[in-house]
Amino acid sequence: MDQPGTTPAAPQRRTRQRAAVDQILTHLEEFRTAQQIHDVLRRQGDSVGLTTVYRTLQAMVESGQLDALRTDDGETAYRRCSSGHHHHLVCRSCGRTVEVSGPAVERWASAVADEHGFRDVSHDLEIFGTCGSC
Amino acid sequence: MDQPGTTPAAPQRRTRQRAAVDQILTHLEEFRTAQQIHDVLRRQGDSVGLTTVYRTLQAMVESGQLDALRTDDGETAYRRCSSGHHHHLVCRSCGRTVEVSGPAVERWASAVADEHGFRDVSHDLEIFGTCGSC
DNA sequence: CTGGGTGCAAAGTGTTTGCAATTTG
DNA sequence: CAAATTGCAAACACTTTGCACCCAG
């Protein structure tokens, strides 16, 4: 029998496409959808099939290299695991975005999670408002 | 002038279908997808079109009566809002969701926003992790 | 060589929209 | 009666799968 959810073996060959996707993710701090990554690749010259991007990302999530989450838009977004992160303060009016971070939230988030018995915690926070110039 | 993003007027007529959806939500504590709600309605005898269920739920979210979130499965799940603002602690594995809230984040968010000259601040936070049973 | 990898096109999902018939106020 | 609402079917957007060809090991 096979262990449920455990891939017997993951050969993982090194291919141009995978290297390209991997490289993109290395340079990105934020969550990006498969399609966005596909676009960047294309614009960058490395033509990789959308299908391959999807399959590569999935494989990376399964092997624990990526974190995936669903956007409110219904798309799946990926980001390299455990990269130092920050949050966004976005202006509703002009779209100006400021990166912010603070130990307070981080601590609170993990404390609350812990309190409820959750492990391997990560979180996502966005703050919206109207900036000074608007 | 009109406020941006505000529907001019929402007549909201009382119909059998809306009452049915509303009634289901009243009896549910957990998040349910539009399709699940549609199923319950059908099983219960109140036949309501899936389209109508979707439209009704969307309207309720917009009027602030419902909370919506995306499941890892890509579906949108709805639940009646518990009064007061809160955040979600979601299990990556089984999807179990716990509502959490704390003055710490709220204060931090508005402080940071203020610091950058932002007004009319609101925010969105989700914490992900693996719950105790998984 | 040979099996994993790739990518096009087609199939699947969940959700939204066009539009005629129906219902509410 | 007029306007809002419903619901079917078709349209949509994102993702997955079938399958023939290709390339890394």
Side-chain angles (χ1 to χ4, degrees), chain B residues 15-121:
Chain B
T15 68
R16 175 180 63 77
Q17 291 86 334
R18 290 192 183 170
V21 171
D22 197 83
Q23 176 252 131
I24 294 292
L25 289 163
T26 300
H27 295 320
L28 286 177
E29 276 299 288
E30 340 252 317
F31 278 93
R32 286 285 183 268
T33 69
Q35 316 222 26
Q36 289 177 318
I37 291 172
H38 177 249
D39 274 358
V40 176
L41 285 169
R42 158 162 301 188
R43 225 171 285 133
Q44 181 179 293
D46 287 301
S47 180
V48 178
L50 179 56
T51 307
T52 301
V53 174
Y54 273 113
R55 283 197 279 233
T56 302
L57 292 173
Q58 279 172 18
M60 292 177 83
V61 168
E62 264 163 57
S63 65
Q65 305 174 61
L66 255 45
D67 249 358
L69 64 78
R70 289 276 181 178
T71 68
D72 276 348
D73 224 49
E75 300 171 301
T76 308
Y78 306 82
R79 187 187 59 179
R80 174 149 276 147
C81 278
S82 51
S83 45
H85 166 89
H86 58 258
H87 303 290
H88 292 142
L89 174 55
V90 188
C91 177
R92 283 198 198 82
S93 181
C94 68
R96 191 157 78 85
T97 302
V98 181
E99 281 188 359
V100 296
S101 64
V105 232
E106 314 299 320
R107 243 184 292 116
W108 180 78
S110 58
V112 172
D114 193 60
E115 210 170 280
H116 288 276
F118 280 60
R119 283 164 291 111
D120 286 326
V121 179

Side-chain angles (χ1 to χ4, degrees), chain A residues 98-120:
Chain A
V98 182
E99 286 185 356
V100 296
S101 64
V105 232
E106 313 299 321
R107 245 185 289 117
W108 179 79
S110 57
V112 171
D114 194 58
E115 209 171 280
H116 288 275
F118 280 60
R119 285 164 290 110
D120 285 327

Side-chain angles (χ1 to χ4, degrees), chain A:
Chain A
M1 63 283 165
D2 247 320
Q3 270 151 54
T6 302
T7 310
Q12 290 292 61
R13 281 188 187 171
R14 180 132 232 95
T15 68
R16 175 180 62 76
Q17 292 84 335
R18 292 193 181 170
V21 172
D22 197 82
Q23 176 252 129
I24 294 293
L25 290 163
T26 300
H27 296 321
L28 287 176
E29 277 298 287
E30 337 265 315
F31 279 93
R32 287 284 184 268
T33 69
Q35 316 223 26
Q36 288 178 318
I37 292 171
H38 177 248
D39 274 358
V40 175
L41 286 170
R42 158 163 301 190
R43 224 170 286 132
Q44 181 178 296
D46 287 300
S47 179
V48 178
L50 180 56
T51 307
T52 300
V53 174
Y54 273 113
R55 283 197 279 233
T56 301
L57 292 173
Q58 279 172 20
M60 292 177 82
V61 168
E62 263 163 56
S63 64
Q65 304 174 63
L66 256 45
D67 251 356
L69 64 78
R70 289 279 180 176
T71 68
D72 277 347
D73 224 50
E75 299 172 299
T76 307
Y78 306 83
R79 183 187 65 177
R80 176 147 271 145
C81 277
S82 65
S83 44
H85 79 276
H86 52 255
H87 303 290
H88 288 146
L89 174 55
V90 188
C91 176
R92 282 198 199 83
S93 181
C94 69
R96 190 157 79 85
T97 301
V98 182
E99 286 185 356
V100 296
S101 64
V105 232
E106 313 299 321
R107 245 185 289 117
W108 179 79
S110 57
V112 171
D114 194 58
E115 209 171 280
H116 288 275
F118 280 60
R119 285 164 290 110
D120 285 327
V121 180
S122 71
H123 61 260
D124 225 15
L125 166 64
E126 294 211 19
I127 309 177
F128 305 95
T130 310
C131 80
S133 340
C134 291

